[in-house]
Amino acid sequence: MKSFFQFLGEAGQSQASMQAKKLNLKSDGHGGWLDSRGEFVAKTENGKLVFYDKGRVEGGKDRPKDTAKKSSEAEKPQEKSKPEPTLKKPPKVEQPIDTEKVGDTLTVSFGRFNPPTVGHEKLLKAAQKASQGGDLKIYPSRTQDPKKNPLDPDMKISYMRRMFPDFEENIINDSDMKTIFNVLVAADEVGYKNVNIVVGSDRQAEFENLAQKYNGELYNFDIIRVISAGVRDADAEGVEGMSASKMRKAAMDDDFESFRKGTPKSLSDGETRALFDAVRQGMGSKKKKKEVSELWQIAPKFDTKGLRENYVAGLIYRIGDIVENLNTGLVGKIIRRGTNHLICVTEEDYMFKSWIRDVMEYNERKMDRLMRVPKKPNTLVGTGGYLKNAMLATGTTNIKNFINKYKKKK
């Protein structure tokens, strides 16, 4: 008859055996356990599975790696301590970042600046700091519409150069730079290896995701850095809280005094009045006319409720509509509507996400140019550019209108 201690020993042995079985270990017949390679890895002690280092020799089944190491160490006892400090001393690993060639990196900023404000100077100075004396280019967007982009590109850039004379040569007037993709592709073609993109803090994540997503497909940069120009408090007074939305609202309300606060002192009262009138004219505002009901269209940040109500009601930004992202300049068709954002796809099948406050309905009905973007013909039906492309393709030189304008409508 078995004693009580024998029962305990068998119970412990079975517990260790079950654990070893789950780990696919094999017994060596002496209480030891081997892995699939025949290495001694564990032993049953006090009914439990105790694991050992691979180099430990038990039962003669493992490979005596440590013995070989010990013999080599015995022959050369002081060689091990000497090479280690010399191998861990190369400070040159961090040098490529600090000693980057100036011509390898381009710092850019892409934005609407419509109209330009004293707050934009903060963005330009942040971009200048990021460039560290290297190449710096500021690209104002090319979009123009009465609601959110009242100034045409030429007038806008002209005022920017007067308002920010220190950056006159850095502000680029290039009709081909319509989107951030155009800017990055052009920089890659010129030969820049790295690019810094300086944006407002509220747009940093959007540019980061977009720029990194298509690196290696549309352009090839070793490093893309998206740098925040700092946090802007819309409720703050002075430069910190100034925005183009506030300027457009002031112009809509015919409030020149508030508008003047958004321009630098270097701009004279006469020049500021001319800019004020140009913004109002671009918005189609008449003397003393205040269209508060359409504030969400002109400055959505100041009427998020109106914007939200129109969006939820399905009056704006419907599936299939073409919209333009006001931050990046990308134009695409809406394929999905979120609670407060849109998922869009460009003609070239590039997908992008936009908050509803950062887009506008895209209308090219009056676009007469042949090329919609560089190397891409204007193929939007109903535009003058599409008509010209069709006429060129068919050899047509003249089109007559046979519509009877005198026909009575039923």
Side-chain angles (χ1 to χ4, degrees):
M1 186 175 179
K2 295 181 180 180
S3 68
F4 176 74
F5 294 103
Q6 285 178 319
F7 277 112
L8 289 178
E10 289 178 0
Q13 190 76 9
S14 61
Q15 182 181 355
S17 300
M18 290 174 63
Q19 187 179 358
K21 187 176 180 180
K22 290 180 181 179
L23 298 173
N24 294 323
L25 302 180
K26 294 182 180 180
S27 174
D28 63 356
H30 304 284
W33 298 95
L34 311 176
D35 62 12
S36 59
R37 297 173 296 176
E39 295 252 351
F40 180 89
V41 294
K43 187 176 181 179
T44 303
E45 290 183 4
N46 298 324
K48 296 181 180 180
L49 206 62
V50 179
F51 289 87
Y52 290 83
D53 294 336
K54 292 182 179 179
R56 177 166 176 172
V57 180
E58 294 284 349
K61 294 290 183 180
D62 55 318
R63 298 170 188 173
K65 294 181 179 179
D66 284 318
T67 56
K69 290 181 180 178
K70 288 179 181 179
S71 61
S72 62
E73 290 171 3
E75 294 175 2
K76 300 178 181 180
Q78 296 181 351
E79 287 182 3
K80 188 176 179 180
S81 59
K82 290 183 179 179
E84 284 187 356
T86 55
L87 290 174
K88 293 184 179 180
K89 278 188 178 178
K92 296 181 180 179
V93 176
E94 297 181 358
Q95 285 183 2
I97 298 176
D98 298 331
T99 60
E100 235 174 30
K101 292 182 180 179
V102 172
D104 288 346
T105 302
L106 172 66
T107 301
V108 302
S109 183
F110 182 92
R112 283 192 291 159
F113 306 100
N114 211 323
T117 75
V118 67
H120 288 137
E121 189 171 14
K122 179 181 178 182
L123 173 68
L124 301 187
K125 288 183 177 179
Q128 186 181 49
K129 182 179 179 180
S131 69
Q132 297 182 351
D135 294 345
L136 170 64
K137 295 184 180 181
I138 311 298
Y139 291 97
S141 67
R142 313 300 299 183
T143 306
Q144 182 187 10
D145 69 274
K147 296 173 182 176
K148 299 177 183 177
N149 300 279
L151 299 178
D152 67 74
D154 293 333
M155 180 178 292
K156 174 174 63 177
I157 291 171
S158 175
Y159 272 101
M160 285 184 68
R161 287 172 174 169
R162 274 185 273 177
M163 292 169 69
F164 316 118
D166 293 341
F167 300 93
E168 183 177 359
E169 296 181 359
N170 305 108
I171 299 171
I172 310 300
N173 189 356
D174 189 340
S175 60
D176 290 334
M177 300 296 107
K178 297 179 179 63
T179 72
I180 186 61
F181 281 166
N182 295 138
V183 173
L184 295 177
V185 169
D188 179 36
E189 290 176 348
V190 169
Y192 288 104
K193 295 180 180 179
N194 312 304
V195 63
N196 299 324
I197 306 173
V198 182
V199 297
S201 60
D202 56 336
R203 295 163 186 168
Q204 185 177 10
E206 179 182 11
F207 275 83
E208 177 77 36
N209 178 60
L210 201 61
Q212 300 288 0
K213 183 178 181 179
Y214 293 104
N215 190 26
E217 184 175 347
L218 293 176
Y219 38 81
N220 290 279
F221 294 106
D222 295 338
I223 300 173
I224 297 179
R225 303 182 186 92
V226 180
I227 302 169
S228 170
V231 179
R232 182 179 63 190
D233 183 3
D235 298 326
E237 296 293 332
V239 177
E240 294 298 325
M242 186 51 60
S243 68
S245 297
K246 287 184 177 181
M247 299 280 278
R248 291 194 300 273
K249 185 180 183 300
M252 182 185 70
D253 295 341
D254 197 23
D255 184 359
F256 177 75
E257 184 178 348
S258 296
F259 189 91
R260 184 68 176 99
K261 293 178 181 179
T263 58
K265 295 180 179 180
S266 58
L267 204 66
S268 67
D269 288 341
E271 290 174 319
T272 304
R273 172 62 73 174
L275 176 61
F276 178 77
D277 292 340
V279 172
R280 284 181 54 79
Q281 183 178 356
M283 296 172 68
S285 300
K286 294 182 180 179
K287 188 67 175 177
K288 299 295 181 182
K289 184 177 181 180
K290 298 183 180 181
E291 299 178 358
V292 181
S293 60
E294 295 183 1
L295 179 61
W296 65 269
Q297 294 178 308
I298 297 168
K301 293 181 180 179
F302 294 99
D303 189 12
T304 55
K305 182 180 179 181
L307 174 65
R308 176 76 178 161
E309 289 176 350
N310 281 271
Y311 178 70
V312 172
L315 301 178
I316 56 174
Y317 310 145
R318 296 174 287 264
I319 299 293
D321 286 354
I322 298 176
V323 295
E324 178 178 358
N325 183 301
L326 297 172
N327 298 332
T328 63
L330 294 178
V331 176
K333 182 183 291 186
I334 300 173
I335 61 171
R336 192 183 308 158
R337 298 173 91 244
T339 54
N340 56 0
H341 68 275
L342 304 169
I343 303 297
C344 311
V345 177
T346 68
E347 269 193 345
E348 298 78 22
D349 290 330
Y350 300 128
M351 187 178 295
F352 64 93
K353 175 183 175 180
S354 295
W355 303 111
I356 58 174
R357 67 173 183 267
D358 293 331
V359 299
M360 58 172 283
E361 293 182 352
Y362 189 72
N363 186 0
E364 279 188 335
R365 297 291 171 183
K366 296 181 180 180
M367 183 190 243
D368 291 327
R369 56 180 183 268
L370 290 170
M371 306 305 288
R372 183 179 183 185
V373 295
K375 300 179 182 179
K376 297 289 182 182
N378 180 8
T379 56
L380 188 62
V381 176
T383 64
Y386 179 80
L387 175 62
K388 291 177 180 178
N389 277 304
M391 291 175 66
L392 285 174
T394 58
T396 306
T397 57
N398 189 25
I399 296 179
K400 292 184 179 180
N401 189 353
F402 293 98
I403 297 177
N404 184 0
K405 63 181 179 180
Y406 299 106
K407 183 178 179 179
K408 292 183 180 181
K409 295 182 181 180
K410 293 182 181 180

